[in-house]
Amino acid sequence: MDGVNILLVDDRPENLLALEAILEPIGQPLVRANSGPEALKRVLETEFAVILLDVQMPGMNGFEVAEIIKSRERSRTIPIIFLSAISKEDAYVFKGYSMGAVDYVFKPFNPDVLRSKVAVFVDLFLKQREIQRQADLLRESQKRELELEHRTSLLETEARSAAKLSQMNDELHRRQVALEQAMGARNRFYASMSHELRTPINAVIGYSTLMLDNIYGPLNAKQKEGLQRTLKAARHLLELVNDVLDLSKIEAGKIELTLQPVMFPSLIEDLFVTVRPLADEYGSTLALDMDGEPFNIVSDPRRVRQILLNLLSNAIKFGEGNPIRVVCKQDANRGVELDVVDEGVGIAKDDISRIFEEFVQVSESKQPGTGLGLPISRRLAQLLDGSLSVHSEPGVGSAFRLTLPASLEDDMLPTAELSAATAA
């Protein structure tokens, strides 16, 4: 497989030379840029796995460059690691993360640590490229299958003998077997990729946590600060990997549902405990409006929690510190109707349909995220025989409505593996 490019941006040639020496063992092409405008030109011309961006540069500083990169659809998902020698105050670090950076590294930095961080993003880029290649192969296989079905339909009308029709049917069967084998290979790839991506990220999280707990000895304030940033970046990366894998499993029809009674409002009250630290951080209060007596439905509690946790987290992040309400009631068919309501920035009418597309973030608030939470939530709601919709007005707020039936189909086993047809 071809290598992936790494962009190094610094106005000092000696710094670029030092970065090249540190990253050369990774074995991937290193592209130089001596200024902000040159970096933007490189990003327009070339695809990059990660960008190492100096903060202090004359003319256009690193923050300005990052803001333009993140504003472009083609380049907004490229991970950015800020490098700084003097801007070590919390305000600068916070600004770097608010620009969408995955890390903020101070000079002089540890070469081995920096090289390991960059290697993680290179590995993730290669895995994503392989996923895309597999998807392209599958689409091409499906296209060939459709073409074959069309030819078969035409030939059946023109067939003059049973032998010719039998020959055509045999060919169709062989193609079907080939397609099933291709889909099986894709599903095996998803399973192995899950282990390969999560294992090194979990190792980074685990060892960082042990070091912060002083298992390997005491740390000074700067060391703790650096490890905390590493831990935050690793968790953000793990969140991205988990979202990508969830989406892949849904598309492959490999999401498993475990049906159990789901109690309301108990499930919502438990979720309030989970998200309350985030709500306190943003200054929002949480309130539950329960219409009627407690009740339950038969569904997958883990997937229901996943949907509602995403809706609550989004409401808090984009709620501008205003109150968050969850309205829960039982509908006429003994299902559940849940509204998650905020009084935040709202969503423009033209953007309503786009928020359920993969990797799309339309809010002006520049909140961190993968752009996969809402698409995954809607697909999970559909797998649970429900729906997820939204009503929103800019400057007034948003209300996301989740509806779920009283029970899934009776013929679905407690641990049924959904087929690709069901997932569609």
Side-chain angles (χ1 to χ4, degrees):
M1 181 175 292
D2 295 336
V4 298
N5 298 300
I6 302 170
L7 181 59
L8 312 177
V9 186
D10 199 304
D11 62 302
R12 299 176 65 88
E14 61 271 26
N15 290 345
L16 291 173
L17 188 62
L19 285 173
E20 288 177 339
I22 292 171
L23 301 179
E24 189 275 335
I26 295 179
Q28 302 295 342
L30 305 174
V31 180
R32 282 189 175 198
N34 296 299
S35 66
E38 184 180 354
L40 295 176
K41 181 180 178 182
R42 298 291 190 191
V43 171
L44 284 175
E45 297 172 344
T46 309
E47 188 177 37
F48 293 101
V50 63
I51 299 173
L52 279 71
L53 180 57
D54 184 42
V55 174
Q56 296 84 23
M57 292 188 296
M60 179 182 290
N61 64 38
F63 292 143
E64 294 170 331
V65 175
E67 185 174 12
I68 295 175
I69 290 174
K70 292 298 181 180
S71 69
R72 294 171 176 168
E73 186 69 27
R74 181 175 179 269
S75 59
R76 65 173 49 186
T77 59
I78 303 175
I80 296 176
I81 299 176
F82 279 120
L83 306 176
S84 177
I86 60 173
S87 301
K88 300 183 180 181
E89 293 83 5
D90 289 344
Y92 283 93
V93 176
F94 177 78
K95 183 174 182 180
Y97 284 117
S98 69
M99 292 292 179
V102 296
D103 206 349
Y104 195 108
V105 180
F106 297 119
K107 303 175 184 177
F109 38 74
N110 185 307
D112 293 332
V113 172
L114 182 62
R115 188 183 307 113
S116 297
K117 291 179 178 181
V118 173
V120 168
F121 291 108
V122 168
D123 185 63
L124 177 61
F125 185 88
L126 290 171
K127 297 298 183 184
Q128 290 173 329
R129 177 187 285 177
E130 179 62 17
I131 292 173
Q132 184 61 47
R133 190 183 72 84
Q134 292 285 339
D136 291 342
L137 288 175
L138 180 60
R139 281 193 294 269
E140 183 62 28
S141 178
Q142 291 171 335
K143 179 181 177 182
R144 291 195 300 269
E145 180 68 18
L146 290 173
E147 292 173 350
L148 178 62
E149 289 176 359
H150 180 65
R151 290 197 302 270
T152 301
S153 177
L154 292 176
L155 289 172
E156 284 177 348
T157 62
E158 299 172 356
R160 294 294 183 265
S161 67
K164 187 173 183 179
L165 182 59
S166 175
Q167 181 182 3
M168 290 166 17
N169 287 335
D170 289 342
E171 177 65 16
L172 178 61
H173 176 70
R174 285 194 295 271
R175 295 295 183 92
Q176 182 65 32
V177 170
L179 176 62
E180 291 174 355
Q181 291 174 342
M183 295 181 66
R186 184 195 67 174
N187 293 338
R188 289 192 296 273
F189 171 75
Y190 285 150
S192 63
M193 185 192 66
S194 171
H195 174 75
E196 291 178 9
L197 286 179
R198 284 187 173 127
T199 298
I201 299 173
N202 283 327
V204 172
I205 293 174
Y207 281 113
S208 297
T209 303
L210 290 175
M211 295 178 72
L212 286 170
D213 291 338
N214 295 322
I215 298 299
Y216 299 112
L219 302 174
N220 60 41
K222 286 296 182 182
Q223 290 171 330
K224 285 185 178 180
E225 184 181 336
L227 279 173
Q228 286 168 348
R229 287 198 301 271
T230 299
L231 187 59
K232 181 176 181 180
R235 284 172 174 165
H236 177 73
L237 181 59
L238 183 60
E239 177 186 350
L240 174 61
V241 171
N242 287 336
D243 283 350
V244 170
L245 291 174
D246 268 351
L247 188 63
S248 300
K249 287 180 179 179
I250 292 174
E251 291 178 344
K254 288 298 181 180
I255 287 289
E256 294 182 352
L257 298 182
T258 302
L259 303 188
Q260 297 176 6
V262 183
M263 308 298 297
F264 294 98
S266 299
L267 183 139
I268 301 170
E269 292 168 344
D270 290 343
L271 283 173
F272 276 6
V273 174
T274 301
V275 302
R276 195 169 302 280
L278 181 64
D280 292 341
E281 179 183 343
Y282 281 82
S284 294
T285 59
L286 303 173
L288 171 62
D289 294 342
M290 181 67 186
D291 187 358
E293 297 297 320
F295 62 94
N296 69 76
I297 64 172
V298 177
S299 191
D300 187 326
R302 174 170 173 259
R303 298 304 178 181
V304 177
R305 283 177 58 90
Q306 184 178 353
I307 296 170
L308 289 175
L309 182 60
N310 179 69
L311 296 181
L312 282 169
S313 299
N314 283 350
I316 293 170
K317 291 177 182 177
F318 299 105
E320 297 189 322
N322 295 315
I324 308 297
R325 291 188 303 117
V326 177
V327 182
C328 176
K329 67 177 182 180
Q330 192 171 30
D331 63 25
N333 297 317
R334 304 184 66 80
V336 65
E337 187 176 281
L338 294 158
D339 291 328
V340 179
V341 185
D342 67 68
E343 301 173 13
V345 296
I347 306 168
K349 182 178 179 180
D350 293 341
D351 291 331
I352 291 291
S353 61
R354 298 181 61 233
I355 63 174
F356 293 105
E357 298 175 6
E358 289 84 0
F359 299 106
V360 171
Q361 292 177 294
V362 298
S363 174
E364 298 296 330
S365 297
K366 299 184 182 300
Q367 293 290 348
T370 64
L372 289 174
L374 287 177
I376 290 174
S377 295
R378 171 170 275 189
R379 294 196 187 196
L380 288 176
Q382 293 169 346
L383 290 178
L384 296 174
D385 283 353
S387 66
L388 179 61
S389 58
V390 60
H391 174 75
S392 184
E393 293 183 33
V396 177
S398 303
F400 284 83
R401 172 165 293 181
L402 172 65
T403 61
L404 296 172
S407 177
L408 295 185
E409 296 295 332
D410 293 336
D411 59 352
M412 180 176 288
L413 297 176
T415 57
E417 183 180 270
L418 298 183
S419 68
T422 303

